[in-house]
Amino acid sequence: MSLLHELTEKALALNIPLSVQLDLTYRCNERCVHCYLDHDDHGEMTTVEIKHLLDELADAGVFVLSLSGGEIFLRKDFFEILEYARLQKQFCVKLKTNAIMIREREAARLREIGVESIQISIYSHRPEVHDGITLVPGSLRRSIDAARFLKSQGLRVIFANVLMEQNVQDYPGVRALAEELGLECTLDPTVTPMMDGDRSILHLGVGNETLRRVFRDQALVGDEDEFCAIPAPGDENSLSALPCSAGHTACYVSPYGDVFPCVQFPLPTGNVRKQKFLEIWRHSEEMNDVRSIRLKDLTTCTSCAHVGSCTRCPGLAYMEGNMRGPSSQDCEKSFARTGVPSANMLAKKRLAQNLVQIRALPTSPIVSPTGALA
C-alpha cells in the first residue's frame, strides 16, 4: 500500500479533508474558449481572510493544498499567500497556472519556497491552435519558455492537455513536447459546464468517434484489449464503493469563500466568511448528503453494465440535474471505450422511440359538449 493510499484511507475513516483546492481568483489573463468560470471579480477574499482560512485548513488536517484560478499570479499577494501556506503552515502545495507571467525571478522564488508541482495548461504544440484557444497571441511561446525555465530550476512541471475538437489531433505533439522537455503530461477529454450550470460550451468537446480513436491509442492506454474490455456487472463490493473523493477526503473553496464538494461539483455547502471551515466540512447538510451516496444508491446507474468501471462524476451529474443520476458525458466515455451503451443511453433511446411512436398516432377530433366538432 502506498503512503498516499494509506493517508487517504485514514483520512476517510477520520473524516479529514486531506486535499483542498483553493481558487485565489477567477480573474485571468487568458480567455480560453472552454473555460467554465466568470472572470469578473465579485469580491475576492483578502490576504488576511485567506491566511485565516489557511489556519483553519491546517487545523482541519489538510495535507495537500492546490492553489488555482483564474490565473493565480494576477494576485499581487500571491507570493505572500504561498509563503504562508508552505513555510508557515507546511502544506504540500500544488500550483495550477498558465505560466505566462512567470519569469526568472518568479521561478527562483518558487524553487526557494518549495512547491510539489506546477501544472501548466498546454492545448497544442502549434501556436495557431493553442493561442486560438487561449485567445492570447504568443501565449504558447510564453508558457513553454516558463515551463523550460521552471524545469531548469529543478521544479516538477506537468502539462495539462484538455481535448476539444479543435485540438484533439495535437495531443501526440503535446506529449512529444513534454517528453522533449523532460516533463509530465496529462490528458483530459472532459469539457466542464459553466459553474452557473450553462452547458453551451459542451459543444466544444470531442465527439464519440473521435474519442473512440483516442481510447484505442496504445501510447495512452497500453493494453487496448484490457482497457476497452466489455464491462462486467457490478458486485456487492463495487456497489458499496464511494463515487469519488469529493466531500469525502477533498473539497473546493472559491475566491469568495464558498465551499463545494469539488470544483466540478458546484453544490453550495457553506461559506468560510460566515462559518468555520471545519463546521462546514463536518456538519453541512449538503456535504453530508453527498457523503451518504454509494453506487448502489444511484438511479439508473446501478443497473448499468458499466457501474463498476465508469468514471462517473457526481458533480457533472449534479449539473445535469441529479447528483444521484447518471452523467451523460461519462456515459459517452464508457460507450466510446467499450462500444457498449450505458443504461442511461438505452433509456434515452427508448424514450426517443416512444416519443416518435406517440407523434405518429392519429389524432382524434375534439368533440364539444353539444356534439359539434371543435
Side-chain angles (χ1 to χ4, degrees), residues 78-150:
F78 168 70
F79 277 106
E80 183 179 351
I81 292 169
L82 177 60
E83 288 178 359
Y84 191 78
R86 182 73 191 105
L87 304 181
Q88 297 296 317
K89 293 300 168 180
Q90 304 292 305
F91 291 113
C92 172
V93 178
K94 301 180 179 183
L95 304 180
K96 297 181 181 180
T97 174
N98 57 42
I100 66 176
M101 295 178 69
I102 296 178
R103 301 292 187 270
E104 291 188 14
R105 186 180 67 172
E106 289 79 16
R109 290 189 72 182
L110 292 176
R111 181 197 64 223
E112 292 165 3
I113 294 169
V115 296
E116 195 277 337
S117 62
I118 303 167
Q119 178 179 294
I120 301 174
S121 297
I122 300 293
Y123 303 109
S124 171
H125 59 298
R126 296 184 293 157
E128 65 272 21
V129 177
H130 177 93
D131 296 357
I133 290 173
T134 66
L135 304 183
V136 176
S139 58
L140 177 63
R141 175 184 55 79
R142 292 161 69 183
S143 292
I144 296 301
D145 287 347
R148 182 180 287 109
F149 190 75
L150 289 166

Side-chain angles (χ1 to χ4, degrees), residues 9 31 126 201 215 229 307 336:
E9 290 294 313
R31 284 294 180 267
R126 296 184 293 157
I201 59 175
F215 281 168
V307 68

Side-chain angles (χ1 to χ4, degrees), residues 242-263:
L242 303 177
C244 74
S245 64
H248 295 278
T249 58
C251 69
Y252 163 69
V253 184
S254 81
Y256 314 121
D258 296 308
V259 180
F260 303 100
C262 173
V263 69

Side-chain angles (χ1 to χ4, degrees), residues 239-244 248 265 286-298 312 314 322-325:
L239 292 177
S240 298
L242 303 177
C244 74
H248 295 278
F265 199 158
E286 294 81 8
M287 196 71 83
N288 283 320
D289 189 24
V290 170
R291 289 195 191 107
S292 71
I293 301 173
R294 298 295 182 272
L295 290 178
K296 62 185 178 183
D297 302 320
L298 304 179
R312 175 190 173 275
N322 181 7
M323 65 181 177
R324 289 175 170 79

Side-chain angles (χ1 to χ4, degrees), residues 19-23 25-26 36-37 66 68-70 96 188 192-196 244-247 250-255 258-267 313-316 318-319:
S19 175
V20 169
Q21 176 173 321
L22 169 60
D23 277 3
T25 181
Y26 285 160
Y36 54 85
L37 298 175
S66 297
S68 184
K96 297 181 181 180
D188 186 357
T192 302
M194 298 287 289
M195 289 284 283
D196 62 5
C244 74
S245 64
C251 69
Y252 163 69
V253 184
S254 81
D258 296 308
V259 180
F260 303 100
C262 173
V263 69
Q264 287 193 161
F265 199 158
L267 169 68
C313 171
L316 293 178
Y318 169 77
M319 284 191 274

